[in-house]
Amino acid sequence: MNTSDLAWYSHEMCFWHDPGPGSGYVPVGPGVEPLRQFAVDPDLRRAEGLVRASGVMDRYTCVTPAPASDEDLLLVHVPEHIERVEAVSASGGGDAGVYAQVNYHSAQAARLAAGASVQATEDVLHGRFRRAYCLVRPPGHHAEPDRAMALCLYNNVAIAARAAQRRGARRVMILDWDVHHGNGIQRVFYEDPDVLYVSIHQDGLFPAASGLVMETGAGAGTGSTLNVPLPPGTGHDAYLAVVSRVVEPAARAFGPDLVLVAAGVDASGHDPMGRMMCTSRTFHAMASAMCRLADELTGGRIVFVHEGGYSAWYQPMLVLGTASAIAGLSAPQDPFLHSLDHLPGQRLQRHQSRVIEHLETHHPLLARHLAVTGPGRGAADE
Ligand SMILES: [Zn+2]
């Protein structure tokens, strides 16, 4: 991959966002002794540091994004939501929604996160770059048009997809492999036939009862939402089976002009929020597969936007695995891999395979595809 084809979007101010004192994901209060909340973003700065120290960053053109304009944010959000985020942040901190704690810098960080996503998408659409990665915080995929939720203030990927449509992209595919369900993205595009939203997430983790297999879109958008809720303990082989047997055929059936990836890394085996088993090898393989898919379907146009990721020690290696794949490099040497890679759950299990088989035979996009090509090889069930 040519250096001039790759772009990396990040901004120092994104690392200044901080959900404030708390423990895990809960703010300080009754029974909660101050420790630190997840998504305190020196961790993300360390991730960028590792990509730089490894030399992989040298493959990218680094771009400092501009903040999203009101016009950009209003592609997805109502004005009252933007006013609330700005007011709570300007007051010095508090909850801007539901479990969406902010500090003084958060409103600016959130505008930069959305702005990076929009700018990366427009640059890729205009041919300035082929592939882009946005290392941004706060994350976005839980944010709904009218409220911030679960650390997410503005829905970066949804805004980017709408911005792509504004710039003439006809059909946009979003793959979201964050361990949580992207309820915000789903809600924005649930009735839109021109945006395919595919989410691979831990079944029932958050939000509860969101991201079920039977949620496949509504009205004109029927078939353009595809949820893959996997059971806790799912690892490398099952994630790759989902990519090859669900994501790729769905993408081919849909025919996107652009692929966006909500590239959270909280499905890792060391993440405190999820109960999945992915490794740097998994994220490298999934990102490689998505870049190949973009080469096949969209002229190579693909944008990755960071979402969740809460392991202080493992997140940097997972970002490096993703960044290496986008640059066409082999998977990085991962000193943590030995603690996860040998676990039996890394192989595809029958109860995981059933989710894939259900989607292959029932989801409107895949059932149509199956009718044309016939059923594929049986899974390597164990
Ligand atoms: Zn998440």
Side-chain angles (χ1 to χ4, degrees), residues 138 156 192 347:
N156 305 321
D192 188 338
R347 313 275 302 269

Side-chain angles (χ1 to χ4, degrees), residues 165-343:
Q165 291 179 313
R166 183 177 62 186
R167 292 282 179 252
R170 210 173 49 81
R171 287 164 84 75
V172 180
M173 174 184 180
I174 300 171
L175 172 62
D176 182 347
W177 63 49
D178 188 282
V179 78
H180 303 98
H181 180 241
N183 56 291
I185 302 177
Q186 175 169 305
R187 185 172 150 196
V188 171
F189 300 110
Y190 205 61
E191 298 185 31
D192 188 338
D194 295 323
V195 178
L196 170 63
Y197 176 60
V198 181
S199 175
I200 312 172
H201 51 271
Q202 184 183 319
D203 186 19
L205 179 61
F206 183 87
S210 179
L212 310 177
V213 284
M214 63 274 275
E215 295 168 10
T216 58
T222 299
S224 67
T225 294
L226 200 171
N227 285 305
V228 191
L230 295 169
T234 297
H236 184 86
D237 284 0
Y239 268 83
L240 292 197
V242 169
V243 170
S244 64
R245 290 168 54 190
V246 175
V247 176
E248 292 178 1
R252 290 187 183 109
F254 179 74
D257 304 316
L258 170 74
V259 175
L260 303 177
V261 181
V265 291
D266 47 6
S268 91
H270 285 310
D271 198 278
M273 291 277 247
R275 295 291 176 269
M276 299 307 223
M277 310 239 294
C278 295
T279 68
S280 61
R281 210 163 57 86
T282 319
F283 289 103
H284 180 274
M286 290 197 295
S288 298
M290 292 311 294
C291 288
R292 283 194 301 272
L293 193 65
D295 287 346
E296 175 190 331
L297 298 176
T298 71
R301 290 187 289 268
I302 185 166
V303 177
F304 294 76
V305 178
H306 195 76
E307 292 277 354
Y310 307 102
S311 169
W313 68 92
Y314 201 34
Q315 173 166 244
M317 186 54 67
L318 302 169
V319 171
L320 179 61
T322 309
S324 300
I326 297 168
L329 302 170
S330 55
Q333 289 292 320
D334 177 356
F336 303 99
L337 194 60
H338 70 98
S339 61
L340 298 170
D341 212 29
H342 69 286
L343 298 174

